[in-house]
Every structure is written in structure tokens, then in C-alpha cells.
Amino acid sequence: METMGKFFRQIGFFTLFCVILLSGLTPFLQAQSHQHIRVTDHPVLSAINQEVESGNISREEAILQSIYAGFAPERLDSKYHYERGESLPIRCFTPILMEYENTKDELSAGTVSEVEALTSSPSSADMQSYRSPSGNFILHYDMEGEDAVPLEDSDGDEVPDYIEKAAFAADSSYRYEVEKIGFMDFLKSKPYEIYFQNFGLYGRTRSSGSTTIIDIHNDFEGFPENTHPEGNQTGALYATIAHEIKHAIQYATNRWEGEAGNTVWSEMDATLMEEIVFDDVNDYYNYIMQYDKETDDWDRDEPRRSSIFGSPEDPTPGSYNHITWMLYFAESYGMQFWVDVWRIIREDYLITDHEENLIPFIDAVEQVLNNDGKNLRNEHIKNHLWHAAAGPNLEISDFGFEEGPEYPNSNFSESIYLEPNDSISIDLRELNSLAATYINVSASTLSLGQPKFNLQASQNNIGFGVVAKFRDKSSDYLISLDPNLNEQSIQSTWYWKDLEQLIIAVIDIGEIGDAFNVNNYKSDNNFKLNLKISSVIPESDLIAQNYPNPFNPTTNIKFALTEQKNVTVEVYDRIGRKISTLVDEQLSRGFHTVRFDGTGLASGVYFYRIVTDQAAVTRKMVLVK
């Protein structure tokens, strides 16, 4: 308890500093953050928010008071004082430095001088130094005093194990993030400097001329839990170094300018690298769910309210707690996806004269998706489906995040049991731009036919998706999105008798570029949604046009049967050569979907032919690459 008390006394004002800047001051800074981010309420936060919003203090005074709160609490105005020992450590100090850098030119010389003096690192001349095995990093540390690192030296080489582990983490992070994945090299000159200090945060990356310097906590004593096999201290050290090195890469890429340098995007990006480089640490679990000290495990029934799992109704982006939004793309398309995003940001930075004209972060994301024939709206819906289907309660192992069963159970706005052969109509609460609401439906084995979903909204730009969990523990999903319609339907090919649960996510996909912009956040109080779930049995055979059409490289061919019968589905090119037989078997009564993949085929016109005992139908489709 004495150790924890010491730790919390150290971190109290630093935590306040991070929270104030993320929620209170940031809307007034040049690189603004959106105001809908959920943060922990705090008396000082509320006081500074009120003072700034009411115009009682200037932006400059608000920044200075926050610097005092973090580095010189004795100078903090007494009206902002509070009882220390109530908060968790700052995850990363880099966003605060980004905000300061982005406003430094607007501050007085006296304020700049004071901030620089308060936030500078100690002199390396007074510290021990150790060069990493790769030679890329030099680590400065103390072995006595308040900044001393743990002194254990198991190999007797007079270098603390803590520093050797830190050097390993730095070399590994550089090798993985720069040399293997391909992010921009941030080493302007060797060796790159890393300092160790006793402060109330995990770490920070600060600019120094044309490069940056990283500061890391000196011992991580009493910090939150993680899953590293060598313990929380090692895990926190590894995750923090991977995180801060990504901030150094960001600075080398675009000098933390424009929306890509905004707190919410930059922190999501850096937090992602913790998981990518050191997968066995999982410190980011602390961002998405509560830790239960009594059970010595994360409470998966208590998702963080600031995470997507806890509050899908809060839009993305959302800083650390929305790391899983970025993880979706990394797991779906590989880390090359994010390398390509930052390449676009870099290229735009080099040719754009004014910071306000730099490409918005989400536009770079959309450009990468479009280059691969993908659609950001669809991906955002599927992203939410991954979140809705996570957690141990649903036991869905073949859909969603790789660690999905270890994630928290998401909050559902509705949990419904559908009676046999019944339909249900659900009125949903309003949605914010780029936010969602989740619905959990338990299915009856006695229901006949196949589920149909009909969504009516009072405005356009609404999409939804459904994940089916079958009784054999397999899964499937469907998505409906037409931004120009306020009524959409999904007719599934699933049978109620095979279903155990349906997980539905309804999303306001907005005007996608504007909605993801951190300065544009809206809520329509007159917005209304109605979702109807019913059961359908086809009354006649039906052959639908494939969708999408044109397509690249896949499309779906849908048809309905009124009774069980033999069916053949074949694809031909324009001169009548058979390309593929997709189906040749007896199918049951109901709705069916067959997927055709045109990978490896040339662009052009193709035909699909569906043959049953009673009829043969041929339709045209177009592959465009």
C-alpha cells in the first residue's frame, strides 16, 4: 500500500494534465480534438473547462496552468487544486507535446521559455549511458536518486537488467516497425537518445531539432496490469517503447502536423504498435475493459465506457480506447495497409504548403481502401460487427478479432428472444455520426423460414450488418449499405433452425469524410430508427441480378427455391467457354447465395447460368479491374 501511495502521489497531477488537454483544452488548440471523447471526470478538469468555456481565462493561461499541473504543482492556481492519489498514470505524454508544438508560435516568449524549462529532460552528462546491441540507441539512466532505475544485474555486467531489456525493446521495435513493416526511418543520426525519469506517465516523445527524443518511466512500479510472462514491469516497458518509437516515426513523417498529428489519431496509431510489436503484453486491454483485482483478471462484463465495446454510440476516432478500430484493418489487410496510409500522408506533407490543407487522416485511409477496390463505409460497418461479436459470452471464434474471445462483452442496446414464427419491430435510439447501436437476438429453433431484416430511418446514410452464430458454433455475416436510401433490407439465406444468435449493428455512416473529421461531430435529436426482423418463405422461384455489378473481384449470385431441387450454377465468358461450376447439387427450399471470385480473370463481360429441373436462366455480369 505504501508503494501504491507513493506511485499515486507521483502521478496525480500528470494524469490531470493529460485529461485536461484531451478533454478540456484541446478544442481550443490548433490541432483540435473532438469533444465527444469520454474521459474520467475530475474536479480540476471541470474547473478548467468551465473557466475556458466561460472566457474567464485565455487559451495561453489555460495551457500554462496545465503545464503547472503536470510539472510544477506548487505554481498551479489554488482554485484548481484537488486531493491527489485518485488517478491512473498518463498513458503517453506525447499528445500534450504535440498540442504545445502546434500552438507554440501563438504563445508569448515568456510562456514558451517557461514551458521549455519545465518540460526539458535531465542532462545526459550527469547520467549513466548504455548503447543498444544494434548501435541505434543510447539509453541515459540514473542508478541513484529519485530517477534511479531498478538495479538488478543478473549477468553481472554492471548494466541493470531493466536497461538491457529497454535496449532490447528499442532494437526490436525499430527492427519491426521500420525494417520489417516499412514505416519511415526516424534515425536522423545515430545513436537515438532515450532517457529514463521518475514521472507520472508511461513515456513521451518530444521534438529536438529535426529529430525527437524519448523519455520513459524509470521503473513502472505500481503501473496497471498486463499479460507479459515476465511481469507487469517488463510488459509496460516493452509496450511503452514500441508506442513512443511510433510517435518518433510519426514526427519524421509529417512533423505531427495536420489532422494526422491530432491526439486521437496519433494515439490510436501508436497504441496499435504495442500490440503489433509485443503481442504478449496486451497492456491495451486496460483501455477496453476494467481490471478486477479480486479475481486477478480483466472483468469482461465491464468494458470501458470510452471504448467501442462499452459505448458503440460514441463516434470514432477516440484516442487510446479506440485502438481496436485500427486493429481491425491490421488484422483484415495486414500492416502494409497502415504503411500505405502513412505513405500517402507523407507524400501529401511534402507537397502541401499550408498545414490546414494537409490531407485528413481518414481520407488517406479511404484512398488506400479505394485503391484495393474496397469501400470505407462497408469496412466501418464490418469493423463494428467485429466489436459487437467479441467477448466470451458469444463464443464466436471464426469471426472477428484474433483475440476476440479475450475482449470484453459489448454493450447491447437491446437483447431480444424471438418467439417461434413471430416478427418483431424495434425502435432504436438516435445515432451519432460514425457511431452504432448493437442488438442481440436469441433465435428459436421452432421458427420456420429464413430471417429477413428491414431497417427504416428518418434520414439517409444509415447502414447495418448482421452476424449469425449457428448452433454448430460456425458463423456468417451480411451487410446492407446504400447511403441514398432510408429503408434497406437484408434477406438472409440462413435457416432459423440452424441459428443460435443474431448480432446486429446499425451504424450512421454519415458523410464519411466529414464525419470522421475530428472537428465535425453531430447528433440529430429528431433521428428515428426502426428495425423489423421477420421470417420469410419464398413463394416462387426467383433469380436475382448478381450484386455488386460491375464487380471487382467478387460478386454474389442470389436465388430462391420454392422446394428442394437439383441446381446447377455455372459461369461462362462472352464466347461461351465455361469458366467455373459454382454449384451442382440438391438444394433445400429457401433463399441461397453463391459467391463468384473473378481473381485471375480479365476485365470484361461474363454470364452466369442457373439450371433447375423446371427452368434455366442466364444473366450478364461485368468484371471491372
Side-chain angles (χ1 to χ4, degrees):
M1 291 300 295
E2 181 178 350
T3 298
M4 287 300 294
K6 170 195 170 189
F7 168 69
F8 283 125
R9 285 194 296 275
Q10 292 169 355
I11 67 174
F13 280 104
F14 286 95
T15 304
L16 159 68
F17 186 28
C18 184
V19 169
I20 288 173
L21 280 174
L22 284 178
S23 176
L25 297 180
T26 306
F28 298 91
L29 300 176
Q30 182 177 353
Q32 293 179 357
S33 172
H34 55 197
Q35 301 176 54
H36 67 268
I37 300 174
R38 288 182 179 269
V39 295
T40 304
D41 291 334
H42 197 286
V44 176
L45 167 65
S46 299
I48 289 187
N49 274 337
Q50 185 175 357
E51 290 289 281
V52 174
E53 292 173 1
S54 63
N56 293 334
I57 61 174
S58 67
R59 179 178 63 179
E60 182 163 341
E61 177 63 21
I63 293 172
L64 195 56
Q65 287 296 321
S66 297
I67 295 292
Y68 291 157
F71 291 92
E74 70 279 2
R75 301 188 200 178
L76 184 68
D77 193 305
S78 60
K79 63 186 175 182
Y80 301 130
H81 285 178
Y82 73 105
E83 292 294 327
R84 286 185 279 180
E86 300 172 354
S87 302
L88 293 173
I90 300 172
R91 294 295 175 177
C92 172
F93 204 74
T94 304
I96 290 90
L97 298 178
M98 290 180 182
E99 303 287 8
Y100 167 68
E101 289 289 336
N102 284 328
T103 58
K104 186 163 61 174
D105 291 344
E106 302 173 22
L107 305 178
S108 68
T111 295
V112 171
S113 177
E114 190 169 7
V115 170
E116 296 286 346
L118 288 172
T119 60
S120 62
S121 294
S123 170
S124 61
D126 302 324
M127 307 176 78
Q128 303 289 323
S129 296
Y130 172 73
R131 193 142 180 179
S132 71
S134 71
N136 287 332
F137 300 92
I138 187 164
L139 287 66
H140 305 295
Y141 61 97
D142 285 326
M143 297 183 68
E144 57 183 28
E146 66 175 12
D147 291 324
V149 300
L151 299 181
E152 288 82 1
D153 180 16
S154 60
D155 58 6
D157 64 354
E158 299 185 355
V159 178
D161 296 342
Y162 186 84
I163 294 301
E164 291 181 319
K165 288 182 178 182
F168 162 78
D171 282 347
S172 297
S173 298
Y174 177 82
R175 184 167 56 249
Y176 206 100
E177 297 183 40
V178 175
E179 295 180 342
K180 181 177 180 179
I181 297 178
F183 287 115
M184 186 172 179
D185 194 344
F186 63 95
L187 296 182
K188 297 296 182 182
S189 60
K190 296 181 180 179
Y192 184 93
E193 293 187 289
I194 299 177
Y195 289 79
F196 294 84
Q197 292 182 263
N198 181 22
F199 45 27
L201 48 136
Y202 280 67
R204 64 172 178 170
T205 303
R206 57 188 176 87
S207 63
S208 178
S210 63
T211 185
T212 50
I213 292 174
I214 289 174
D215 298 292
I216 302 293
H217 196 276
N218 67 315
D219 62 17
F220 290 104
E221 182 181 326
F223 274 58
E225 292 76 4
N226 57 67
T227 64
H228 194 273
E230 295 181 28
N232 295 334
Q233 182 189 66
T234 300
L237 177 65
Y238 286 2
T240 302
I241 289 177
H243 183 115
E244 298 304 330
I245 281 180
K246 189 56 170 75
H247 281 315
I249 293 170
Q250 293 166 355
Y251 185 82
T253 301
N254 70 333
R255 293 298 188 270
W256 296 333
E257 292 184 6
E259 193 180 274
N262 187 280
T263 296
V264 288
W265 289 121
S266 63
E267 282 307 319
M268 288 166 68
D269 178 58
T271 305
L272 171 66
M273 295 314 303
E274 301 176 19
E275 169 68 359
I276 298 302
V277 179
F278 296 111
D279 181 49
D280 57 356
V281 174
N282 295 320
D283 189 80
Y284 76 99
Y285 281 8
N286 290 292
Y287 307 142
I288 62 177
M289 54 187 159
Q290 304 284 347
Y291 192 84
D292 187 342
K293 293 187 179 295
E294 292 186 4
T295 62
D296 195 25
D297 194 7
W298 279 273
D299 187 346
R300 291 171 176 82
D301 288 324
E302 287 293 332
R304 293 280 184 191
R305 291 298 299 171
S306 51
S307 72
I308 296 175
F309 305 97
S311 296
E313 66 271 17
D314 283 351
T316 298
S319 197
Y320 315 91
N321 303 79
H322 281 204
I323 172 207
T324 45
W325 189 89
M326 282 191 163
L327 187 59
Y328 162 82
F329 292 97
E331 293 189 3
S332 293
Y333 302 111
M335 281 304 298
Q336 184 61 44
F337 177 90
W338 289 115
V339 171
D340 290 342
V341 169
W342 282 99
R343 174 184 50 78
I344 290 171
I345 291 169
R346 171 65 176 174
E347 291 172 353
D348 181 72
Y349 172 78
L350 292 175
I351 63 173
T352 302
D353 293 334
H354 300 289
E355 182 176 354
E356 60 270 18
N357 295 328
L358 290 172
I359 186 171
F361 188 87
I362 199 62
D363 286 6
V365 173
E366 187 168 28
Q367 193 173 129
V368 173
L369 287 170
N370 291 346
N371 290 343
D372 196 32
K374 303 294 192 303
N375 180 290
L376 179 56
R377 288 182 169 91
N378 273 23
E379 294 300 319
H380 188 60
I381 294 174
K382 189 177 177 183
N383 198 322
H384 268 290
L385 287 179
W386 278 33
H387 285 83
N393 285 356
L394 293 176
E395 296 181 325
I396 298 177
S397 59
D398 64 345
F399 178 83
F401 295 105
E402 292 175 5
E403 298 179 20
E406 299 299 318
Y407 287 171
N409 300 305
S410 288
N411 282 335
F412 291 94
S413 61
E414 301 280 350
S415 292
I416 299 163
Y417 174 75
L418 198 62
E419 296 292 338
N421 304 318
D422 196 7
S423 63
I424 191 167
S425 184
I426 310 166
D427 290 321
L428 300 172
R429 59 190 175 194
E430 64 194 46
L431 287 177
N432 297 317
S433 292
L434 277 301
T437 187
Y438 300 161
I439 303 154
N440 187 357
V441 179
S442 297
S444 168
T445 58
L446 301 178
S447 298
L448 300 176
Q450 297 165 291
K452 181 178 181 179
F453 309 89
N454 183 263
L455 180 69
Q456 290 184 313
S458 59
Q459 66 180 46
N460 297 343
N461 290 316
I462 304 298
F464 74 109
V466 184
V467 178
K469 176 188 174 184
F470 299 101
R471 299 190 184 278
D472 64 2
K473 304 306 179 185
S474 64
S475 67
D476 193 11
Y477 76 95
L478 296 169
I479 286 175
S480 175
L481 170 64
D482 189 329
N484 300 314
L485 297 178
N486 57 13
E487 182 172 358
Q488 300 177 62
S489 295
I490 292 178
Q491 174 60 67
S492 76
T493 59
W494 313 318
Y495 291 91
W496 284 109
K497 63 182 178 62
D498 299 325
L499 289 167
E500 183 175 321
Q501 280 178 298
L502 297 168
I503 296 93
I504 304 168
V506 181
I507 299 103
D508 179 350
I509 46 83
E511 298 295 336
I512 201 78
D514 290 337
F516 270 105
N517 186 314
V518 294
N519 298 319
N520 293 325
Y521 164 68
K522 74 174 180 65
S523 174
D524 185 350
N525 293 327
N526 296 317
F527 183 45
K528 297 184 183 302
L529 281 169
N530 179 267
L531 176 67
K532 183 177 181 180
I533 306 171
S534 57
S535 182
V536 177
I537 300 174
E539 297 179 353
S540 61
D541 286 355
L542 173 66
I543 310 296
Q545 182 65 48
N546 66 296
Y547 182 83
N549 190 38
F551 64 98
N552 177 28
T554 62
T555 188
N556 293 314
I557 299 169
K558 297 184 177 183
F559 55 94
L561 304 175
T562 57
E563 60 185 27
Q564 182 173 292
K565 59 184 66 176
N566 293 316
V567 178
T568 302
V569 181
E570 297 174 328
V571 176
Y572 296 84
D573 66 15
R574 64 186 307 162
I575 62 174
R577 293 177 299 189
K578 185 164 71 173
I579 300 298
S580 176
T581 299
L582 305 179
V583 175
D584 186 8
E585 60 182 297
Q586 191 172 82
L587 298 179
S588 60
R589 175 184 185 180
F591 297 90
H592 299 270
T593 298
V594 178
R595 188 175 181 85
F596 173 66
D597 190 339
T599 301
L601 297 177
S603 297
V605 175
Y606 294 85
F607 299 89
Y608 61 94
R609 181 173 175 82
I610 300 178
V611 181
T612 69
D613 297 337
Q614 288 81 30
V617 177
T618 301
R619 295 280 172 84
K620 181 173 71 174
M621 56 184 177
V622 181
L623 173 61
V624 178
K625 293 186 175 181

PDB file of all heavy atoms in Angstrom, residues 259-275:
ATOM      1  N   GLU A 259      -4.261  16.879 -39.449  1.00  0.00           N
ATOM      2  CA  GLU A 259      -5.130  16.009 -38.660  1.00  0.00           C
ATOM      3  C   GLU A 259      -4.441  14.709 -38.273  1.00  0.00           C
ATOM      4  O   GLU A 259      -4.736  14.114 -37.235  1.00  0.00           O
ATOM      5  CB  GLU A 259      -6.406  15.707 -39.444  1.00  0.00           C
ATOM      6  CG  GLU A 259      -7.485  15.087 -38.584  1.00  0.00           C
ATOM      7  CD  GLU A 259      -8.738  14.785 -39.381  1.00  0.00           C
ATOM      8  OE1 GLU A 259      -9.574  15.701 -39.510  1.00  0.00           O
ATOM      9  OE2 GLU A 259      -8.868  13.657 -39.871  1.00  0.00           O
ATOM     10  N   ALA A 260      -3.473  14.238 -39.083  1.00  0.00           N
ATOM     11  CA  ALA A 260      -2.750  13.016 -38.736  1.00  0.00           C
ATOM     12  C   ALA A 260      -1.922  13.197 -37.474  1.00  0.00           C
ATOM     13  O   ALA A 260      -1.540  12.223 -36.827  1.00  0.00           O
ATOM     14  CB  ALA A 260      -1.862  12.583 -39.897  1.00  0.00           C
ATOM     15  N   GLY A 261      -1.627  14.450 -37.117  1.00  0.00           N
ATOM     16  CA  GLY A 261      -0.911  14.731 -35.882  1.00  0.00           C
ATOM     17  C   GLY A 261      -1.822  14.986 -34.711  1.00  0.00           C
ATOM     18  O   GLY A 261      -1.356  15.300 -33.610  1.00  0.00           O
ATOM     19  N   ASN A 262      -3.111  14.843 -34.940  1.00  0.00           N
ATOM     20  CA  ASN A 262      -4.074  15.069 -33.874  1.00  0.00           C
ATOM     21  C   ASN A 262      -3.986  13.974 -32.828  1.00  0.00           C
ATOM     22  O   ASN A 262      -3.686  12.815 -33.117  1.00  0.00           O
ATOM     23  CB  ASN A 262      -5.480  15.117 -34.474  1.00  0.00           C
ATOM     24  CG  ASN A 262      -6.524  15.523 -33.465  1.00  0.00           C
ATOM     25  OD1 ASN A 262      -6.950  14.704 -32.672  1.00  0.00           O
ATOM     26  ND2 ASN A 262      -6.920  16.768 -33.504  1.00  0.00           N
ATOM     27  N   THR A 263      -4.283  14.323 -31.592  1.00  0.00           N
ATOM     28  CA  THR A 263      -4.162  13.388 -30.475  1.00  0.00           C
ATOM     29  C   THR A 263      -4.872  12.072 -30.740  1.00  0.00           C
ATOM     30  O   THR A 263      -4.309  10.992 -30.534  1.00  0.00           O
ATOM     31  CB  THR A 263      -4.742  14.030 -29.201  1.00  0.00           C
ATOM     32  OG1 THR A 263      -3.952  15.166 -28.850  1.00  0.00           O
ATOM     33  CG2 THR A 263      -4.746  13.050 -28.047  1.00  0.00           C
ATOM     34  N   VAL A 264      -6.119  12.128 -31.190  1.00  0.00           N
ATOM     35  CA  VAL A 264      -6.911  10.903 -31.283  1.00  0.00           C
ATOM     36  C   VAL A 264      -6.337   9.921 -32.299  1.00  0.00           C
ATOM     37  O   VAL A 264      -6.222   8.724 -32.031  1.00  0.00           O
ATOM     38  CB  VAL A 264      -8.390  11.219 -31.601  1.00  0.00           C
ATOM     39  CG1 VAL A 264      -9.062  11.828 -30.399  1.00  0.00           C
ATOM     40  CG2 VAL A 264      -8.520  12.140 -32.805  1.00  0.00           C
ATOM     41  N   TRP A 265      -5.951  10.413 -33.471  1.00  0.00           N
ATOM     42  CA  TRP A 265      -5.412   9.514 -34.483  1.00  0.00           C
ATOM     43  C   TRP A 265      -4.008   9.059 -34.118  1.00  0.00           C
ATOM     44  O   TRP A 265      -3.664   7.869 -34.273  1.00  0.00           O
ATOM     45  CB  TRP A 265      -5.389  10.193 -35.851  1.00  0.00           C
ATOM     46  CG  TRP A 265      -6.731  10.404 -36.474  1.00  0.00           C
ATOM     47  CD1 TRP A 265      -7.282  11.603 -36.843  1.00  0.00           C
ATOM     48  CD2 TRP A 265      -7.717   9.411 -36.815  1.00  0.00           C
ATOM     49  NE1 TRP A 265      -8.526  11.417 -37.391  1.00  0.00           N
ATOM     50  CE2 TRP A 265      -8.821  10.087 -37.384  1.00  0.00           C
ATOM     51  CE3 TRP A 265      -7.765   8.027 -36.684  1.00  0.00           C
ATOM     52  CZ2 TRP A 265      -9.961   9.414 -37.830  1.00  0.00           C
ATOM     53  CZ3 TRP A 265      -8.902   7.351 -37.125  1.00  0.00           C
ATOM     54  CH2 TRP A 265      -9.975   8.044 -37.688  1.00  0.00           C
ATOM     55  N   SER A 266      -3.156   9.974 -33.667  1.00  0.00           N
ATOM     56  CA  SER A 266      -1.767   9.613 -33.375  1.00  0.00           C
ATOM     57  C   SER A 266      -1.683   8.619 -32.228  1.00  0.00           C
ATOM     58  O   SER A 266      -0.830   7.723 -32.237  1.00  0.00           O
ATOM     59  CB  SER A 266      -0.942  10.861 -33.061  1.00  0.00           C
ATOM     60  OG  SER A 266      -1.419  11.512 -31.892  1.00  0.00           O
ATOM     61  N   GLU A 267      -2.561   8.751 -31.235  1.00  0.00           N
ATOM     62  CA  GLU A 267      -2.527   7.817 -30.110  1.00  0.00           C
ATOM     63  C   GLU A 267      -3.105   6.450 -30.481  1.00  0.00           C
ATOM     64  O   GLU A 267      -2.619   5.408 -30.034  1.00  0.00           O
ATOM     65  CB  GLU A 267      -3.268   8.400 -28.909  1.00  0.00           C
ATOM     66  CG  GLU A 267      -2.470   9.430 -28.151  1.00  0.00           C
ATOM     67  CD  GLU A 267      -1.098   8.933 -27.744  1.00  0.00           C
ATOM     68  OE1 GLU A 267      -0.955   7.759 -27.314  1.00  0.00           O
ATOM     69  OE2 GLU A 267      -0.142   9.696 -27.875  1.00  0.00           O
ATOM     70  N   MET A 268      -4.163   6.426 -31.279  1.00  0.00           N
ATOM     71  CA  MET A 268      -4.655   5.136 -31.775  1.00  0.00           C
ATOM     72  C   MET A 268      -3.551   4.414 -32.539  1.00  0.00           C
ATOM     73  O   MET A 268      -3.333   3.202 -32.379  1.00  0.00           O
ATOM     74  CB  MET A 268      -5.876   5.347 -32.670  1.00  0.00           C
ATOM     75  CG  MET A 268      -7.144   5.764 -31.926  1.00  0.00           C
ATOM     76  SD  MET A 268      -8.443   6.378 -33.040  1.00  0.00           S
ATOM     77  CE  MET A 268      -8.888   4.887 -33.929  1.00  0.00           C
ATOM     78  N   ASP A 269      -2.835   5.160 -33.367  1.00  0.00           N
ATOM     79  CA  ASP A 269      -1.788   4.594 -34.206  1.00  0.00           C
ATOM     80  C   ASP A 269      -0.635   4.051 -33.362  1.00  0.00           C
ATOM     81  O   ASP A 269      -0.167   2.922 -33.577  1.00  0.00           O
ATOM     82  CB  ASP A 269      -1.285   5.673 -35.163  1.00  0.00           C
ATOM     83  CG  ASP A 269      -0.161   5.200 -36.055  1.00  0.00           C
ATOM     84  OD1 ASP A 269      -0.365   4.215 -36.784  1.00  0.00           O
ATOM     85  OD2 ASP A 269       0.915   5.818 -36.031  1.00  0.00           O
ATOM     86  N   ALA A 270      -0.171   4.823 -32.389  1.00  0.00           N
ATOM     87  CA  ALA A 270       0.954   4.389 -31.562  1.00  0.00           C
ATOM     88  C   ALA A 270       0.564   3.230 -30.653  1.00  0.00           C
ATOM     89  O   ALA A 270       1.360   2.318 -30.420  1.00  0.00           O
ATOM     90  CB  ALA A 270       1.490   5.561 -30.746  1.00  0.00           C
ATOM     91  N   THR A 271      -0.657   3.254 -30.142  1.00  0.00           N
ATOM     92  CA  THR A 271      -1.112   2.163 -29.286  1.00  0.00           C
ATOM     93  C   THR A 271      -1.225   0.867 -30.077  1.00  0.00           C
ATOM     94  O   THR A 271      -0.950  -0.224 -29.563  1.00  0.00           O
ATOM     95  CB  THR A 271      -2.469   2.519 -28.646  1.00  0.00           C
ATOM     96  OG1 THR A 271      -2.353   3.772 -27.956  1.00  0.00           O
ATOM     97  CG2 THR A 271      -2.897   1.456 -27.644  1.00  0.00           C
ATOM     98  N   LEU A 272      -1.609   0.966 -31.340  1.00  0.00           N
ATOM     99  CA  LEU A 272      -1.672  -0.212 -32.194  1.00  0.00           C
ATOM    100  C   LEU A 272      -0.320  -0.923 -32.239  1.00  0.00           C
ATOM    101  O   LEU A 272      -0.249  -2.156 -32.223  1.00  0.00           O
ATOM    102  CB  LEU A 272      -2.097   0.202 -33.608  1.00  0.00           C
ATOM    103  CG  LEU A 272      -2.003  -0.877 -34.696  1.00  0.00           C
ATOM    104  CD1 LEU A 272      -2.990  -2.009 -34.419  1.00  0.00           C
ATOM    105  CD2 LEU A 272      -2.253  -0.271 -36.072  1.00  0.00           C
ATOM    106  N   MET A 273       0.770  -0.138 -32.274  1.00  0.00           N
ATOM    107  CA  MET A 273       2.092  -0.745 -32.406  1.00  0.00           C
ATOM    108  C   MET A 273       2.489  -1.533 -31.162  1.00  0.00           C
ATOM    109  O   MET A 273       3.324  -2.435 -31.244  1.00  0.00           O
ATOM    110  CB  MET A 273       3.131   0.322 -32.722  1.00  0.00           C
ATOM    111  CG  MET A 273       2.921   0.987 -34.079  1.00  0.00           C
ATOM    112  SD  MET A 273       2.572  -0.168 -35.442  1.00  0.00           S
ATOM    113  CE  MET A 273       4.000  -1.227 -35.370  1.00  0.00           C
ATOM    114  N   GLU A 274       1.932  -1.204 -30.010  1.00  0.00           N
ATOM    115  CA  GLU A 274       2.194  -2.016 -28.821  1.00  0.00           C
ATOM    116  C   GLU A 274       1.786  -3.470 -29.075  1.00  0.00           C
ATOM    117  O   GLU A 274       2.511  -4.412 -28.746  1.00  0.00           O
ATOM    118  CB  GLU A 274       1.416  -1.477 -27.623  1.00  0.00           C
ATOM    119  CG  GLU A 274       1.731  -0.045 -27.239  1.00  0.00           C
ATOM    120  CD  GLU A 274       0.831   0.431 -26.109  1.00  0.00           C
ATOM    121  OE1 GLU A 274       0.246  -0.430 -25.410  1.00  0.00           O
ATOM    122  OE2 GLU A 274       0.714   1.652 -25.912  1.00  0.00           O
ATOM    123  N   GLU A 275       0.598  -3.646 -29.653  1.00  0.00           N
ATOM    124  CA  GLU A 275       0.075  -4.976 -29.906  1.00  0.00           C
ATOM    125  C   GLU A 275       0.813  -5.649 -31.052  1.00  0.00           C
ATOM    126  O   GLU A 275       1.060  -6.860 -31.023  1.00  0.00           O
ATOM    127  CB  GLU A 275      -1.424  -4.894 -30.216  1.00  0.00           C
ATOM    128  CG  GLU A 275      -2.056  -6.167 -30.757  1.00  0.00           C
ATOM    129  CD  GLU A 275      -2.108  -7.304 -29.743  1.00  0.00           C
ATOM    130  OE1 GLU A 275      -1.633  -7.129 -28.596  1.00  0.00           O
ATOM    131  OE2 GLU A 275      -2.618  -8.378 -30.096  1.00  0.00           O
TER     132      GLU A 275
END
